[in-house]
Amino acid sequence: MTSESSLILKAVARRDNDAFSALVRMHQGKIRAYLVRLCKNYDLADDIAQETFLTAFRKLGSYKGEGNFSGWLFSIAHNCFLQHLRRTKRRIEITEQYGAQQEIYSDKYDELSTQQMDLEQAMEQLNPDEIATITLCHSYGFSHQEVSNILEMPLGSVKSNISRGKLKLKETLNKKDRLEKAS
Amino acid sequence: MNDSSDFDKLEVLLAQPALIADRGFSTRVEVRIGKLNTKRRNVFLITGLCWLALVILAASPQAIYADLMTLAISLDISSIYSYPLEQFRSLSGSTQQLPLKTLGAALLSVAAIASMLVRA
């Protein structure tokens, strides 16, 4: 049994705080990076990430071990993000307020190369569905079917969001490349 | 550069996502989970007390008195608690029903069920 599986077992069966805290430390980097891409705001992403882990702790009893734990957490994180949007009814305002002006702060990350920074900036051109599908599929290695289950989105929509998003990313990165070469 | 190599580059870049550094985040979550557990314990305690009070209200006072007396005698604490026991004896000896019994039972039931719903 891997250390993660034994931690999940302890956290689910005994509601062991220490085991759950270890799982938080293990997954927080990915969950927060995912939410930063969606929210385009570090503080808001942190608030939603905290809400995600608290909800996960409350719902530990409902985790049946189907699929992987990470997918279960991403599913909760995405629902928390959608709930936040519904609650505040500020989808457009968030995009307008943070979308264009968001700066990528390298000190927020464990490591951030120039290329990764360019990618994070290019991600801002994508809509939330494109960001979610591309991040889950290409960055965190979930299959199209798993992404479809996590986001509760039809498989066809997952695939079309990914291909549309990748095209946008490619165009944005190429444009930036050309501008840098010209200057 | 052709399209397929652009996509290959993009795939490689996407496969190396930048992760956010912890910087105390896990500790903040731990603290909040600790508070959540305290809240859960309090909710359980309130639920338990509500059910206990409900049982006392629903059961006959004479039977409760008899049980308490048996317990007190077995623990030999009747002398320490003689005053409350006397009070309870006078209450249980009364032929009158408790006036707010039904209302009290209803309120406690609601409180107990609400506590359980909050927990769920």
Side-chain angles (χ1 to χ4, degrees):
Chain A
M1 192 182 281
T2 63
S3 67
E4 186 182 10
S5 323
S6 69
L7 285 173
I8 293 167
L9 198 66
K10 274 185 196 170
V12 174
R14 300 187 220 154
R15 291 191 79 85
D16 185 325
N17 276 15
D18 294 338
F20 189 76
S21 299
L23 288 169
V24 172
R25 279 192 290 278
M26 209 175 268
H27 292 279
Q28 62 83 26
K30 284 183 182 180
I31 296 286
R32 287 164 75 204
Y34 174 72
L35 288 168
V36 164
R37 281 183 181 177
L38 285 172
C39 301
K40 302 177 170 74
N41 179 279
Y42 293 101
D43 294 335
L44 181 58
D46 267 11
D47 288 346
I48 298 176
Q50 279 198 33
E51 195 52 47
T52 299
F53 286 112
L54 290 179
T55 306
F57 185 74
R58 279 193 214 104
K59 289 186 173 174
L60 270 177
S62 71
Y63 177 67
K64 305 282 183 231
E66 295 153 359
N68 63 35
F69 187 73
S70 170
W72 184 67
L73 282 178
F74 275 112
S75 157
I76 295 174
H78 197 77
N79 282 330
C80 286
F81 169 70
L82 293 179
Q83 267 174 18
H84 170 80
L85 288 187
R86 278 195 290 270
R87 209 165 39 227
T88 55
K89 295 180 183 166
R90 285 178 57 212
R91 182 191 278 261
I92 297 162
E93 287 153 67
I94 284 172
T95 314
E96 282 174 1
Q97 190 177 347
Y98 304 111
Q101 299 154 4
Q102 170 70 17
E103 279 184 49
I104 306 296
Y105 297 108
S106 54
D107 63 325
K108 298 271 184 188
Y109 295 85
D110 277 333
E111 274 181 32
L112 189 71
S113 66
T114 318
Q115 282 181 319
Q116 283 172 321
M117 193 183 277
D118 290 344
L119 177 69
E120 295 304 322
Q121 274 166 349
M123 280 278 176
E124 290 171 17
Q125 309 303 316
L126 274 52
N127 69 40
D129 285 344
E130 291 162 351
I131 294 172
T133 49
I134 287 181
T135 304
L136 291 174
C137 189
H138 288 276
S139 301
Y140 300 137
F142 291 100
S143 68
H144 288 171
Q145 186 57 57
E146 284 171 328
V147 175
S148 162
N149 295 339
I150 290 169
L151 302 178
E152 293 175 3
M153 185 187 280
L155 192 57
S157 307
V158 171
K159 289 178 182 173
S160 60
N161 274 310
I162 289 175
S163 60
R164 205 171 38 240
K166 277 167 73 179
L167 264 176
K168 283 189 198 172
L169 282 178
K170 196 191 78 164
E171 279 167 15
T172 311
L173 290 171
N174 278 348
K175 202 169 144 188
K176 189 175 167 55
D177 233 17
R178 280 198 300 273
L179 281 172
E180 275 173 6
K181 277 175 189 163
S183 62
Chain B
M1 193 179 284
N2 64 37
D3 271 4
S4 79
S5 89
D6 277 356
F7 271 112
D8 288 347
K9 252 176 71 179
L10 182 62
E11 300 245 349
V12 170
L13 196 55
L14 281 168
Q16 301 161 344
L19 302 181
I20 303 281
D22 193 307
R23 307 223 196 287
F25 175 84
S26 304
T27 313
R28 288 197 294 279
V29 174
E30 263 175 60
V31 169
R32 286 189 67 182
I33 285 172
K35 282 182 188 167
L36 203 70
N37 271 346
T38 311
K39 215 163 104 182
R40 279 170 59 85
R41 266 198 299 274
N42 291 343
V43 168
F44 271 123
L45 188 67
I46 291 166
T47 312
L49 288 174
C50 283
W51 278 117
L52 181 66
L54 193 61
V55 166
I56 290 171
L57 269 175
S60 95
Q62 282 86 352
I64 300 259
Y65 170 69
D67 287 346
L68 281 179
M69 276 306 287
T70 311
L71 182 69
I73 289 163
S74 70
L75 295 175
D76 198 22
I77 55 166
S78 53
S79 58
I80 304 166
Y81 294 108
S82 61
Y83 178 72
L85 280 174
E86 281 304 320
Q87 293 296 310
F88 196 81
R89 192 202 302 264
S90 66
L91 176 70
S92 63
S94 161
T95 51
Q96 270 192 321
Q97 284 287 313
L98 291 173
L100 295 173
K101 186 177 168 182
T102 313
L103 181 64
L107 283 175
L108 286 167
S109 299
V110 169
I113 291 165
S115 300
M116 283 188 290
L117 286 177
V118 167
R119 185 214 161 255

